[in-house]
Structure formats: C-alpha cells, structure tokens
Amino acid sequence: MESRSTSRRQPERAAQGGQYEYRVLTIDRSTSRSDATRLLTDEAEYGRWELARTRLYVGGERRVWLRRKIIRVRSTL
C-alpha cells in the first residue's frame, strides 16, 4: 500500500461557522480498495479526520480530502 499525503492548513468558514484544517491524501492505483478503506478508517478513528471529498482520476489514482475542526484553546487566566 503506497500513498502520498500532503498536509495543508487552510481555515475555511463552514456553514456552521467553524474552521477546518484540511489534509489531502493521494492513493496510488495499485492500492486495493480494502487497503484504502483501512487507511481512511485509521485516519478517521485516530486522527479525528472526516471525509470531505473524494475524486477518482482516469488513471485510477484516488485523491481524498479529509477535514477536522480546528479547536482553539482560550486562556482562562
């Protein structure tokens, strides 16, 4: 299973008014569907990412956009 990932930090206003951090995963065409599912499940379970968008390209390459809310910690002092 070979996948390349690039992490991008792009705050974007959502419909609920939250800001999100995005991560784009590029999954090679030789990666099986079950391996890709396992990879995305691990990212969602342990990294708290949710699926935002999926694209399947002509050559068989998959590009997946994951997002998670940016949690800002405010000082209580």
Side-chain angles (χ1 to χ4, degrees), residues 11 16 18 35 37 57 71-72 74 76:
Q16 299 91 7
D35 287 341
T37 303
Y57 291 95
I71 300 171
R72 304 263 185 223
R74 293 184 183 172
T76 58

Side-chain angles (χ1 to χ4, degrees), residues 6 17 19 21-23 74:
T6 57
Q19 290 187 356
E21 173 183 8
Y22 287 86
R23 182 174 181 190
R74 293 184 183 172

Side-chain angles (χ1 to χ4, degrees), residues 1-2 4 7 9 15-16 23-24 29-30 35-37 42 45-47 49-51 53-54 56 58-60 69 72:
M1 175 170 61
E2 183 179 325
R4 294 176 290 153
S7 181
R9 226 184 151 133
Q16 299 91 7
R23 182 174 181 190
V24 180
R29 66 178 283 180
S30 63
D35 287 341
T37 303
D42 288 343
E45 192 170 335
Y46 300 114
W49 293 97
E50 64 183 28
L51 186 63
R53 181 179 178 188
T54 302
L56 178 62
V58 174
K69 269 199 167 199
R72 304 263 185 223

